[in-house]
Amino acid sequence: MSTVDADPTSAEARGSAGPAGLGDEAYRTAVLDLLGLLAHGELTTFARLANDAEHAPDLAGRITLSRMAAGELSHLAVIEQFVTRLGGELEAVMLSYADVLGDFEARTVPRDWWERLMKTYVGYGLVTDFEREVSGRLDAQTHAIVEDVLADNGYADYVVSVLAPVIDAEPQLGSRLALWGRRVVGEALNLSQNAMVRHPSLARLLGGEDDAAEAAKVLNRLAGGHARRMGRLGLTA
Amino acid sequence: MSTVDADPTSAEARGSAGPAGLGDEAYRTAVLDLLGLLAHGELTTFARLANDAEHAPDLAGRITLSRMAAGELSHLAVIEQFVTRLGGELEAVMLSYADVLGDFEARTVPRDWWERLMKTYVGYGLVTDFEREVSGRLDAQTHAIVEDVLADNGYADYVVSVLAPVIDAEPQLGSRLALWGRRVVGEALNLSQNAMVRHPSLARLLGGEDDAAEAAKVLNRLAGGHARRMGRLGLTA
Protein backbone atom coordinates (compact mmCIF):
# COMPACT_ATOMS: atom_id res chain seq x y z
CA MET A 1 0.00 0.00 0.00
CA SER A 2 1.30 3.45 -0.84
CA THR A 3 1.89 6.10 1.79
CA VAL A 4 -0.84 8.29 3.12
CA ASP A 5 0.84 11.48 1.99
CA ALA A 6 0.60 10.59 -1.67
CA ASP A 7 -2.72 11.51 -3.22
CA PRO A 8 -3.89 8.25 -4.74
CA THR A 9 -7.04 9.68 -6.25
CA SER A 10 -7.02 11.39 -9.56
CA ALA A 11 -10.10 13.03 -11.02
CA GLU A 12 -9.60 10.78 -14.06
CA ALA A 13 -9.68 7.66 -11.96
CA ARG A 14 -12.86 8.44 -10.07
CA GLY A 15 -14.69 10.86 -12.34
CA SER A 16 -14.61 14.64 -12.22
CA ALA A 17 -16.96 14.65 -9.22
CA GLY A 18 -14.53 12.38 -7.34
CA PRO A 19 -13.58 12.99 -3.73
CA ALA A 20 -10.88 15.34 -2.55
CA GLY A 21 -7.64 13.58 -1.66
CA LEU A 22 -6.53 12.77 1.87
CA GLY A 23 -4.37 15.89 1.74
CA ASP A 24 -7.57 17.96 1.97
CA GLU A 25 -8.15 18.61 5.66
CA ALA A 26 -11.95 18.76 5.57
CA TYR A 27 -12.05 15.52 3.59
CA ARG A 28 -9.57 13.83 5.91
CA THR A 29 -11.68 14.86 8.91
CA ALA A 30 -14.75 13.38 7.23
CA VAL A 31 -12.84 10.15 6.55
CA LEU A 32 -11.76 9.93 10.19
CA ASP A 33 -15.39 10.40 11.18
CA LEU A 34 -16.37 7.59 8.81
CA LEU A 35 -13.64 5.34 10.22
CA GLY A 36 -15.08 5.99 13.68
CA LEU A 37 -18.45 4.79 12.40
CA LEU A 38 -16.88 1.71 10.84
CA ALA A 39 -14.95 0.88 14.00
CA HIS A 40 -18.04 1.35 16.11
CA GLY A 41 -19.96 -0.83 13.67
CA GLU A 42 -17.38 -3.60 13.98
CA LEU A 43 -17.45 -3.45 17.78
CA THR A 44 -21.24 -3.47 17.80
CA THR A 45 -21.47 -6.33 15.32
CA PHE A 46 -18.94 -8.25 17.39
CA ALA A 47 -21.07 -7.79 20.51
CA ARG A 48 -24.28 -8.69 18.66
CA LEU A 49 -22.88 -11.87 17.10
CA ALA A 50 -21.25 -12.92 20.39
CA ASN A 51 -24.56 -12.36 22.13
CA ASP A 52 -26.42 -14.29 19.44
CA ALA A 53 -23.88 -17.10 19.81
CA GLU A 54 -24.76 -17.44 23.50
CA HIS A 55 -28.39 -17.91 22.52
CA ALA A 56 -27.76 -20.39 19.72
CA PRO A 57 -29.81 -23.55 20.18
CA ASP A 58 -26.93 -25.88 19.36
CA LEU A 59 -23.17 -26.10 19.66
CA ALA A 60 -22.59 -25.82 15.90
CA GLY A 61 -24.48 -22.51 15.77
CA ARG A 62 -22.65 -21.28 18.84
CA ILE A 63 -19.25 -22.05 17.32
CA THR A 64 -20.15 -20.56 13.93
CA LEU A 65 -21.48 -17.30 15.35
CA SER A 66 -18.60 -16.95 17.83
CA ARG A 67 -16.15 -17.33 14.97
CA MET A 68 -17.96 -14.73 12.89
CA ALA A 69 -17.90 -12.37 15.88
CA ALA A 70 -14.15 -12.79 16.31
CA GLY A 71 -13.68 -12.31 12.55
CA GLU A 72 -15.51 -8.97 12.70
CA LEU A 73 -13.29 -7.75 15.49
CA SER A 74 -10.14 -8.52 13.54
CA HIS A 75 -11.05 -5.57 11.28
CA LEU A 76 -10.61 -3.19 14.18
CA ALA A 77 -6.81 -3.48 13.88
CA VAL A 78 -6.96 -2.53 10.17
CA ILE A 79 -9.12 0.48 10.92
CA GLU A 80 -6.93 1.54 13.85
CA GLN A 81 -3.82 1.39 11.72
CA PHE A 82 -5.37 3.61 9.05
CA VAL A 83 -6.75 6.06 11.63
CA THR A 84 -3.27 6.38 13.12
CA ARG A 85 -1.74 6.98 9.69
CA LEU A 86 -4.23 9.79 9.13
CA GLY A 87 -3.12 11.37 12.41
CA GLY A 88 -6.20 10.30 14.40
CA GLU A 89 -6.73 8.10 17.43
CA LEU A 90 -9.08 5.12 17.39
CA GLU A 91 -10.97 5.78 20.61
CA ALA A 92 -11.33 9.47 19.83
CA VAL A 93 -12.95 8.86 16.43
CA MET A 94 -15.23 6.17 17.89
CA LEU A 95 -16.41 8.17 20.90
CA SER A 96 -18.90 10.33 19.03
CA TYR A 97 -20.77 7.18 17.98
CA ALA A 98 -21.02 5.81 21.53
CA ASP A 99 -24.72 6.54 21.80
CA VAL A 100 -25.63 6.14 18.14
CA LEU A 101 -27.63 2.99 18.85
CA GLY A 102 -29.94 5.16 20.97
CA ASP A 103 -33.02 3.19 21.87
CA PHE A 104 -32.76 0.91 18.82
CA GLU A 105 -31.93 -2.06 21.05
CA ALA A 106 -34.77 -1.29 23.46
CA ARG A 107 -37.22 -1.00 20.57
CA THR A 108 -36.19 -4.25 18.92
CA VAL A 109 -35.94 -6.91 21.64
CA PRO A 110 -36.26 -10.28 19.89
CA ARG A 111 -38.77 -12.70 21.39
CA ASP A 112 -37.07 -15.87 20.22
CA TRP A 113 -34.07 -17.26 18.38
CA TRP A 114 -35.64 -16.69 14.95
CA GLU A 115 -36.37 -13.03 15.62
CA ARG A 116 -32.86 -12.69 17.00
CA LEU A 117 -31.31 -14.11 13.82
CA MET A 118 -33.57 -11.94 11.68
CA LYS A 119 -32.70 -8.79 13.61
CA THR A 120 -28.97 -9.25 13.12
CA TYR A 121 -29.50 -10.23 9.47
CA VAL A 122 -31.59 -7.13 8.71
CA GLY A 123 -29.64 -4.67 10.84
CA TYR A 124 -26.21 -5.90 9.81
CA GLY A 125 -27.22 -5.97 6.15
CA LEU A 126 -28.53 -2.43 6.22
CA VAL A 127 -25.49 -1.03 8.01
CA THR A 128 -23.18 -2.80 5.58
CA ASP A 129 -25.12 -1.45 2.58
CA PHE A 130 -25.01 2.03 4.11
CA GLU A 131 -21.25 1.83 4.59
CA ARG A 132 -20.82 0.50 1.08
CA GLU A 133 -22.74 3.50 -0.29
CA VAL A 134 -20.21 5.75 1.37
CA SER A 135 -17.33 3.54 0.29
CA GLY A 136 -18.08 4.20 -3.40
CA ARG A 137 -17.45 7.90 -2.91
CA LEU A 138 -14.05 7.71 -1.28
CA ASP A 139 -10.49 8.13 -2.42
CA ALA A 140 -8.83 4.90 -3.52
CA GLN A 141 -6.85 4.27 -0.32
CA THR A 142 -9.76 4.72 2.04
CA HIS A 143 -12.00 2.84 -0.35
CA ALA A 144 -9.65 -0.17 -0.19
CA ILE A 145 -9.67 -0.16 3.62
CA VAL A 146 -13.45 0.11 3.80
CA GLU A 147 -14.00 -2.66 1.26
CA ASP A 148 -11.63 -4.87 3.23
CA VAL A 149 -13.64 -4.25 6.40
CA LEU A 150 -16.94 -4.82 4.59
CA ALA A 151 -15.85 -8.09 2.95
CA ASP A 152 -18.57 -10.72 3.18
CA ASN A 153 -18.24 -12.68 6.42
CA GLY A 154 -20.73 -15.36 5.40
CA TYR A 155 -23.30 -14.24 7.93
CA ALA A 156 -26.11 -13.63 5.44
CA ASP A 157 -25.56 -17.04 3.85
CA TYR A 158 -25.60 -18.62 7.30
CA VAL A 159 -28.91 -17.00 8.26
CA VAL A 160 -30.49 -17.94 4.94
CA SER A 161 -29.37 -21.55 5.34
CA VAL A 162 -30.88 -21.69 8.84
CA LEU A 163 -34.02 -19.59 8.40
CA ALA A 164 -35.21 -20.31 4.87
CA PRO A 165 -36.14 -24.00 5.46
CA VAL A 166 -37.90 -23.17 8.74
CA ILE A 167 -39.89 -20.37 7.11
CA ASP A 168 -40.71 -22.63 4.19
CA ALA A 169 -42.05 -25.26 6.57
CA GLU A 170 -43.94 -22.85 8.83
CA PRO A 171 -45.74 -20.08 6.91
CA GLN A 172 -47.07 -18.58 10.15
CA LEU A 173 -43.55 -18.11 11.42
CA GLY A 174 -42.73 -16.57 8.04
CA SER A 175 -45.52 -14.00 8.41
CA ARG A 176 -44.38 -13.10 11.90
CA LEU A 177 -40.76 -12.74 10.77
CA ALA A 178 -41.78 -10.61 7.77
CA LEU A 179 -43.54 -8.21 10.14
CA TRP A 180 -40.59 -8.30 12.50
CA GLY A 181 -38.18 -7.57 9.63
CA ARG A 182 -40.22 -4.49 8.70
CA ARG A 183 -40.07 -3.23 12.26
CA VAL A 184 -36.33 -3.78 12.53
CA VAL A 185 -35.56 -2.13 9.19
CA GLY A 186 -37.74 0.85 10.07
CA GLU A 187 -35.85 1.38 13.30
CA ALA A 188 -32.53 0.84 11.56
CA LEU A 189 -33.37 3.44 8.89
CA ASN A 190 -34.29 5.90 11.65
CA LEU A 191 -30.95 5.17 13.22
CA SER A 192 -29.12 5.83 9.95
CA GLN A 193 -30.89 9.16 9.51
CA ASN A 194 -30.08 10.19 13.08
CA ALA A 195 -26.44 9.29 12.53
CA MET A 196 -26.37 11.48 9.40
CA VAL A 197 -27.93 14.41 11.25
CA ARG A 198 -25.41 14.14 14.09
CA HIS A 199 -22.53 13.62 11.70
CA PRO A 200 -22.91 16.10 8.83
CA SER A 201 -19.54 15.04 7.45
CA LEU A 202 -21.04 11.59 6.71
CA ALA A 203 -23.93 13.21 4.88
CA ARG A 204 -21.39 15.26 2.95
CA LEU A 205 -19.43 12.13 1.99
CA LEU A 206 -22.69 10.65 0.73
CA GLY A 207 -23.34 13.81 -1.26
CA GLY A 208 -26.70 14.08 0.47
CA GLU A 209 -26.15 17.21 2.49
CA ASP A 210 -26.93 19.66 -0.29
CA ASP A 211 -28.85 17.29 -2.47
CA ALA A 212 -32.12 15.89 -1.16
CA ALA A 213 -32.65 13.95 -4.39
CA GLU A 214 -29.31 12.18 -3.94
CA ALA A 215 -30.15 11.33 -0.30
CA ALA A 216 -33.50 9.93 -1.43
CA LYS A 217 -31.72 7.76 -4.00
CA VAL A 218 -29.46 6.37 -1.28
CA LEU A 219 -32.45 5.54 0.93
CA ASN A 220 -34.14 3.89 -2.04
CA ARG A 221 -31.14 1.70 -2.69
CA LEU A 222 -30.97 0.75 1.00
CA ALA A 223 -34.65 -0.24 0.85
CA GLY A 224 -33.89 -2.26 -2.28
CA GLY A 225 -31.08 -4.12 -0.51
CA HIS A 226 -33.43 -4.93 2.34
CA ALA A 227 -36.08 -6.23 -0.07
CA ARG A 228 -33.48 -8.51 -1.70
CA ARG A 229 -32.46 -9.88 1.71
CA MET A 230 -36.07 -10.62 2.64
CA GLY A 231 -36.56 -12.17 -0.79
CA ARG A 232 -33.74 -14.63 -0.11
CA LEU A 233 -35.86 -15.90 2.80
CA GLY A 234 -38.97 -16.12 0.61
CA LEU A 235 -40.48 -13.08 2.37
CA THR A 236 -41.68 -9.74 1.07
CA ALA A 237 -40.15 -6.65 2.62
CA MET B 1 5.84 -30.05 14.05
CA SER B 2 6.33 -33.78 13.53
CA THR B 3 3.56 -36.08 12.47
CA VAL B 4 0.99 -37.40 14.88
CA ASP B 5 1.96 -41.00 14.23
CA ALA B 6 5.46 -40.51 15.53
CA ASP B 7 5.76 -40.96 19.26
CA PRO B 8 7.47 -37.77 20.38
CA THR B 9 7.67 -38.71 24.03
CA SER B 10 10.38 -40.90 25.37
CA ALA B 11 10.40 -42.18 28.93
CA GLU B 12 13.82 -40.55 29.28
CA ALA B 13 12.49 -37.19 28.22
CA ARG B 14 9.57 -37.08 30.60
CA GLY B 15 10.60 -39.44 33.38
CA SER B 16 9.76 -43.10 33.69
CA ALA B 17 6.20 -42.23 34.78
CA GLY B 18 5.74 -40.19 31.58
CA PRO B 19 2.57 -40.42 29.51
CA ALA B 20 1.86 -43.03 26.91
CA GLY B 21 2.38 -41.82 23.35
CA LEU B 22 -0.41 -40.74 21.03
CA GLY B 23 -0.20 -44.19 19.45
CA ASP B 24 -1.81 -45.59 22.62
CA GLU B 25 -5.55 -45.65 22.01
CA ALA B 26 -6.67 -45.09 25.61
CA TYR B 27 -4.24 -42.19 25.95
CA ARG B 28 -5.34 -40.67 22.63
CA THR B 29 -8.97 -40.91 23.75
CA ALA B 30 -8.07 -39.11 26.97
CA VAL B 31 -6.26 -36.42 24.99
CA LEU B 32 -9.28 -35.93 22.74
CA ASP B 33 -11.41 -35.59 25.85
CA LEU B 34 -8.98 -32.98 27.18
CA LEU B 35 -9.04 -31.11 23.87
CA GLY B 36 -12.82 -31.02 24.15
CA LEU B 37 -12.46 -29.41 27.56
CA LEU B 38 -9.95 -26.89 26.21
CA ALA B 39 -12.16 -26.02 23.23
CA HIS B 40 -15.15 -25.64 25.49
CA GLY B 41 -13.04 -23.49 27.81
CA GLU B 42 -12.06 -21.21 24.92
CA LEU B 43 -15.64 -20.84 23.74
CA THR B 44 -16.83 -20.12 27.28
CA THR B 45 -14.05 -17.62 27.94
CA PHE B 46 -14.84 -15.95 24.64
CA ALA B 47 -18.50 -15.59 25.66
CA ARG B 48 -17.58 -14.38 29.14
CA LEU B 49 -15.11 -11.74 27.93
CA ALA B 50 -17.50 -10.58 25.17
CA ASN B 51 -20.24 -10.29 27.77
CA ASP B 52 -17.95 -8.41 30.15
CA ALA B 53 -16.99 -6.10 27.27
CA GLU B 54 -20.64 -5.12 26.81
CA HIS B 55 -20.76 -4.12 30.49
CA ALA B 56 -17.49 -2.20 30.50
CA PRO B 57 -17.98 1.31 31.86
CA ASP B 58 -15.90 2.95 29.12
CA LEU B 59 -14.98 2.51 25.47
CA ALA B 60 -11.34 1.65 26.24
CA GLY B 61 -12.41 -1.26 28.45
CA ARG B 62 -14.94 -2.38 25.89
CA ILE B 63 -12.34 -2.45 23.12
CA THR B 64 -9.73 -4.19 25.28
CA LEU B 65 -12.06 -6.94 26.49
CA SER B 66 -13.55 -7.48 23.01
CA ARG B 67 -10.05 -7.93 21.63
CA MET B 68 -9.15 -10.40 24.37
CA ALA B 69 -12.35 -12.32 23.62
CA ALA B 70 -11.53 -12.55 19.92
CA GLY B 71 -7.98 -13.60 20.81
CA GLU B 72 -9.29 -16.49 22.90
CA LEU B 73 -11.42 -17.72 20.06
CA SER B 74 -8.48 -17.81 17.68
CA HIS B 75 -7.21 -20.82 19.66
CA LEU B 76 -10.22 -22.82 18.59
CA ALA B 77 -8.72 -23.29 15.12
CA VAL B 78 -5.48 -24.66 16.60
CA ILE B 79 -7.40 -27.11 18.77
CA GLU B 80 -9.66 -28.14 15.90
CA GLN B 81 -6.67 -28.87 13.67
CA PHE B 82 -5.08 -31.11 16.30
CA VAL B 83 -8.36 -32.89 17.05
CA THR B 84 -8.73 -33.64 13.36
CA ARG B 85 -5.17 -34.98 13.15
CA LEU B 86 -5.96 -37.31 16.04
CA GLY B 87 -8.95 -38.63 14.11
CA GLY B 88 -11.56 -36.77 16.16
CA GLU B 89 -14.14 -34.11 15.37
CA LEU B 90 -14.28 -30.77 17.18
CA GLU B 91 -17.99 -30.65 17.95
CA ALA B 92 -18.06 -34.28 19.04
CA VAL B 93 -15.28 -33.84 21.61
CA MET B 94 -16.85 -30.61 22.89
CA LEU B 95 -20.36 -31.95 23.26
CA SER B 96 -19.81 -33.83 26.51
CA TYR B 97 -18.83 -30.55 28.19
CA ALA B 98 -21.93 -28.72 27.03
CA ASP B 99 -23.48 -28.71 30.51
CA VAL B 100 -20.26 -28.63 32.52
CA LEU B 101 -20.95 -25.10 33.73
CA GLY B 102 -24.01 -26.50 35.48
CA ASP B 103 -25.46 -23.89 37.77
CA PHE B 104 -22.14 -22.12 38.24
CA GLU B 105 -23.42 -19.09 36.33
CA ALA B 106 -26.67 -19.01 38.30
CA ARG B 107 -24.76 -19.22 41.60
CA THR B 108 -22.32 -16.46 40.74
CA VAL B 109 -24.28 -13.56 39.26
CA PRO B 110 -22.12 -10.44 39.70
CA ARG B 111 -23.86 -7.42 41.23
CA ASP B 112 -21.64 -4.82 39.60
CA TRP B 113 -18.74 -4.27 37.24
CA TRP B 114 -16.13 -4.98 39.92
CA GLU B 115 -17.67 -8.32 40.86
CA ARG B 116 -17.93 -9.11 37.17
CA LEU B 117 -14.22 -8.44 36.58
CA MET B 118 -13.32 -10.42 39.70
CA LYS B 119 -15.45 -13.38 38.65
CA THR B 120 -13.76 -13.69 35.28
CA TYR B 121 -10.33 -13.13 36.86
CA VAL B 122 -10.84 -15.84 39.48
CA GLY B 123 -12.69 -18.32 37.27
CA TYR B 124 -10.45 -17.91 34.25
CA GLY B 125 -7.31 -18.12 36.40
CA LEU B 126 -8.45 -21.32 38.06
CA VAL B 127 -9.44 -23.00 34.80
CA THR B 128 -6.13 -22.02 33.23
CA ASP B 129 -4.19 -23.38 36.22
CA PHE B 130 -6.21 -26.60 36.07
CA GLU B 131 -5.47 -27.03 32.39
CA ARG B 132 -1.81 -26.27 32.99
CA GLU B 133 -1.69 -29.03 35.62
CA VAL B 134 -2.88 -31.46 33.00
CA SER B 135 -0.57 -29.99 30.39
CA GLY B 136 2.51 -30.96 32.41
CA ARG B 137 1.57 -34.63 32.17
CA LEU B 138 1.14 -34.86 28.42
CA ASP B 139 3.24 -36.08 25.54
CA ALA B 140 5.37 -33.36 23.96
CA GLN B 141 3.12 -32.73 20.94
CA THR B 142 -0.08 -32.31 22.91
CA HIS B 143 1.81 -30.37 25.56
CA ALA B 144 2.95 -27.86 22.92
CA ILE B 145 -0.62 -27.38 21.66
CA VAL B 146 -2.01 -26.91 25.15
CA GLU B 147 0.70 -24.43 26.14
CA ASP B 148 0.00 -22.48 22.97
CA VAL B 149 -3.68 -22.29 23.88
CA LEU B 150 -2.90 -21.34 27.47
CA ALA B 151 -0.45 -18.58 26.56
CA ASP B 152 -1.00 -15.47 28.69
CA ASN B 153 -3.55 -13.20 27.05
CA GLY B 154 -2.87 -10.27 29.37
CA TYR B 155 -6.25 -10.56 31.05
CA ALA B 156 -4.90 -10.96 34.59
CA ASP B 157 -2.62 -7.93 34.18
CA TYR B 158 -5.55 -5.95 32.84
CA VAL B 159 -7.76 -6.79 35.83
CA VAL B 160 -4.98 -6.03 38.29
CA SER B 161 -4.33 -2.67 36.63
CA VAL B 162 -8.03 -1.80 36.85
CA LEU B 163 -8.99 -3.32 40.21
CA ALA B 164 -5.91 -2.87 42.42
CA PRO B 165 -6.06 0.97 42.58
CA VAL B 166 -9.81 0.92 43.25
CA ILE B 167 -9.43 -1.65 46.02
CA ASP B 168 -6.54 0.32 47.46
CA ALA B 169 -8.69 3.46 47.58
CA GLU B 170 -11.83 1.75 48.89
CA PRO B 171 -11.12 -0.86 51.61
CA GLN B 172 -14.83 -1.66 51.94
CA LEU B 173 -15.01 -2.61 48.28
CA GLY B 174 -11.89 -4.71 48.86
CA SER B 175 -13.57 -6.65 51.66
CA ARG B 176 -16.64 -7.27 49.57
CA LEU B 177 -14.54 -8.43 46.60
CA ALA B 178 -12.45 -10.71 48.84
CA LEU B 179 -15.65 -12.42 50.01
CA TRP B 180 -16.92 -12.56 46.47
CA GLY B 181 -13.65 -14.08 45.24
CA ARG B 182 -13.96 -16.84 47.88
CA ARG B 183 -17.47 -17.63 46.73
CA VAL B 184 -16.49 -17.74 43.07
CA VAL B 185 -13.43 -19.94 43.68
CA GLY B 186 -15.48 -22.32 45.81
CA GLU B 187 -18.02 -22.74 43.04
CA ALA B 188 -15.26 -23.08 40.45
CA LEU B 189 -13.52 -25.80 42.45
CA ASN B 190 -16.83 -27.65 42.73
CA LEU B 191 -17.14 -27.35 38.99
CA SER B 192 -13.64 -28.77 38.44
CA GLN B 193 -14.39 -31.75 40.68
CA ASN B 194 -17.67 -32.42 38.89
CA ALA B 195 -15.87 -32.29 35.55
CA MET B 196 -13.34 -34.86 36.82
CA VAL B 197 -16.10 -37.16 38.05
CA ARG B 198 -17.92 -37.01 34.72
CA HIS B 199 -14.69 -37.35 32.74
CA PRO B 200 -12.60 -40.07 34.40
CA SER B 201 -10.07 -39.85 31.57
CA LEU B 202 -9.20 -36.32 32.75
CA ALA B 203 -8.69 -37.58 36.30
CA ARG B 204 -6.48 -40.31 34.83
CA LEU B 205 -4.41 -37.75 32.92
CA LEU B 206 -3.94 -35.87 36.19
CA GLY B 207 -2.89 -39.10 37.89
CA GLY B 208 -5.59 -38.50 40.47
CA GLU B 209 -7.87 -41.40 39.72
CA ASP B 210 -5.95 -43.99 41.67
CA ASP B 211 -4.09 -41.61 43.88
CA ALA B 212 -6.05 -39.47 46.30
CA ALA B 213 -2.84 -37.90 47.64
CA GLU B 214 -1.91 -36.74 44.14
CA ALA B 215 -5.39 -35.28 43.59
CA ALA B 216 -5.12 -33.44 46.90
CA LYS B 217 -1.78 -32.00 45.81
CA VAL B 218 -3.35 -30.71 42.61
CA LEU B 219 -6.18 -29.05 44.54
CA ASN B 220 -3.63 -27.53 46.91
CA ARG B 221 -1.69 -26.05 44.03
CA LEU B 222 -4.91 -24.66 42.52
CA ALA B 223 -5.73 -23.03 45.87
CA GLY B 224 -2.19 -21.62 45.93
CA GLY B 225 -2.62 -20.10 42.48
CA HIS B 226 -5.87 -18.50 43.61
CA ALA B 227 -4.18 -17.06 46.72
CA ARG B 228 -1.45 -15.55 44.55
CA ARG B 229 -4.05 -13.96 42.27
CA MET B 230 -5.89 -12.44 45.22
CA GLY B 231 -2.56 -11.29 46.63
CA ARG B 232 -1.86 -9.32 43.43
CA LEU B 233 -4.99 -7.32 44.28
CA GLY B 234 -3.88 -6.83 47.89
CA LEU B 235 -6.55 -9.26 49.11
CA THR B 236 -6.33 -12.47 51.12
CA ALA B 237 -7.88 -15.55 49.57
Side-chain angles (χ1 to χ4, degrees), chain A residues 2-235:
Chain A
S2 57
T3 65
V4 169
D5 296 327
D7 180 358
T9 317
S10 64
E12 290 77 32
R14 306 196 60 84
S16 55
L22 287 165
D24 180 289
E25 180 144 351
Y27 175 72
R28 195 170 66 240
T29 302
V31 164
L32 281 169
D33 201 21
L34 171 68
L35 293 168
L37 173 68
L38 280 174
H40 191 270
E42 293 303 304
L43 198 60
T44 305
T45 305
F46 165 80
R48 167 140 298 287
L49 291 174
N51 200 287
D52 288 355
E54 280 203 82
H55 288 83
D58 57 23
L59 184 60
R62 200 178 154 198
I63 293 174
T64 302
L65 288 168
S66 298
R67 280 179 160 158
M68 285 177 184
E72 284 300 319
L73 204 79
S74 68
H75 296 138
L76 210 56
V78 177
I79 299 173
E80 180 170 31
Q81 206 177 10
F82 197 55
V83 166
T84 306
R85 286 172 65 196
L86 293 182
E89 199 269 318
L90 183 66
E91 272 178 55
V93 299
M94 289 175 77
L95 263 180
S96 63
Y97 291 98
D99 60 350
V100 78
L101 281 181
D103 45 9
F104 173 75
E105 292 296 341
R107 283 170 178 279
T108 56
V109 177
R111 278 175 301 175
D112 60 15
W113 170 241
W114 312 119
E115 289 192 0
R116 180 177 280 277
L117 273 186
M118 179 66 104
K119 175 180 166 180
T120 306
Y121 176 67
V122 166
Y124 178 79
L126 188 86
V127 168
T128 305
D129 282 354
F130 178 79
E131 292 172 340
R132 197 158 275 137
E133 281 285 340
V134 184
S135 173
R137 296 150 196 260
L138 298 169
D139 68 281
Q141 272 188 72
T142 312
H143 176 75
I145 297 283
V146 173
E147 286 300 310
D148 187 34
V149 168
L150 296 182
D152 186 16
N153 66 356
Y155 182 73
D157 287 348
Y158 168 75
V159 171
V160 170
S161 74
V162 171
L163 273 187
V166 181
I167 288 172
D168 195 47
E170 290 185 50
Q172 279 198 326
L173 176 65
S175 306
R176 172 156 71 87
L177 289 179
L179 272 174
W180 172 246
R182 263 167 240 149
R183 185 153 134 214
V184 171
V185 81
E187 296 290 345
L189 283 169
N190 272 343
L191 196 82
S192 308
Q193 283 179 321
N194 289 341
M196 306 260 280
V197 169
R198 289 197 207 173
H199 294 268
S201 63
L202 282 182
R204 224 171 292 136
L205 278 181
L206 273 169
E209 194 195 32
D210 313 308
D211 188 344
E214 184 59 28
K217 275 187 212 163
V218 170
L219 286 176
N220 262 339
R221 283 196 295 271
L222 291 180
H226 174 66
R228 269 193 303 282
R229 271 188 292 282
M230 297 302 271
R232 290 189 67 191
L233 297 171
L235 303 175

Side-chain angles (χ1 to χ4, degrees), chain A residues 51 54 60 66-67 73 80, chain B residues 51 54 66-67 73 80 91:
Chain A
N51 200 287
E54 280 203 82
S66 298
R67 280 179 160 158
L73 204 79
E80 180 170 31
Chain B
N51 200 287
E54 281 204 81
S66 298
R67 281 179 158 158
L73 205 81
E80 180 168 33
E91 271 178 57

Side-chain angles (χ1 to χ4, degrees), chain B:
Chain B
M1 193 175 289
S2 58
T3 66
V4 171
D5 295 328
D7 179 356
T9 314
S10 65
E12 290 77 31
R14 306 196 58 84
S16 56
L22 286 164
D24 180 289
E25 180 144 351
Y27 175 73
R28 196 170 65 241
T29 302
V31 165
L32 281 169
D33 202 19
L34 170 68
L35 293 168
L37 173 67
L38 279 174
H40 192 271
E42 293 302 305
L43 197 59
T44 304
T45 305
F46 166 80
R48 168 141 295 289
L49 291 174
N51 200 287
D52 288 355
E54 281 204 81
H55 289 83
D58 57 24
L59 184 59
R62 199 177 156 200
I63 293 175
T64 301
L65 289 168
S66 298
R67 281 179 158 158
M68 285 177 184
E72 284 300 316
L73 205 81
S74 69
H75 297 137
L76 210 57
V78 177
I79 299 173
E80 180 168 33
Q81 207 177 9
F82 197 56
V83 166
T84 307
R85 286 172 64 196
L86 294 181
E89 199 267 318
L90 183 66
E91 271 178 57
V93 298
M94 290 175 77
L95 262 181
S96 62
Y97 292 99
D99 60 351
V100 78
L101 279 183
D103 45 7
F104 173 74
E105 292 296 341
R107 282 171 179 279
T108 55
V109 177
R111 280 176 298 176
D112 61 16
W113 171 241
W114 312 118
E115 289 192 0
R116 179 176 280 275
L117 272 187
M118 179 67 103
K119 175 179 167 181
T120 305
Y121 176 68
V122 166
Y124 178 79
L126 189 87
V127 168
T128 305
D129 281 354
F130 179 80
E131 292 172 342
R132 197 158 275 138
E133 282 285 339
V134 184
S135 174
R137 296 149 194 264
L138 298 168
D139 69 279
Q141 272 188 72
T142 311
H143 176 75
I145 297 285
V146 173
E147 287 298 311
D148 188 35
V149 168
L150 296 183
D152 185 16
N153 67 357
Y155 181 73
D157 287 347
Y158 168 75
V159 171
V160 171
S161 74
V162 172
L163 272 188
V166 181
I167 288 172
D168 195 46
E170 291 186 47
Q172 280 198 324
L173 177 65
S175 306
R176 171 155 71 86
L177 289 179
L179 272 173
W180 172 246
R182 264 166 238 150
R183 184 152 135 214
V184 171
V185 82
E187 295 291 346
L189 283 168
N190 271 344
L191 195 84
S192 307
Q193 284 180 321
N194 289 341
M196 306 260 279
V197 170
R198 290 195 204 172
H199 295 268
S201 64
L202 282 183
R204 223 171 291 135
L205 278 181
L206 272 170
E209 194 194 34
D210 313 308
D211 189 344
E214 184 60 28
K217 276 186 212 161
V218 170
L219 285 176
N220 262 339
R221 281 195 296 269
L222 292 179
H226 173 66
R228 267 192 304 280
R229 270 187 292 284
M230 297 302 271
R232 289 188 69 190
L233 296 171
L235 302 175
T236 46

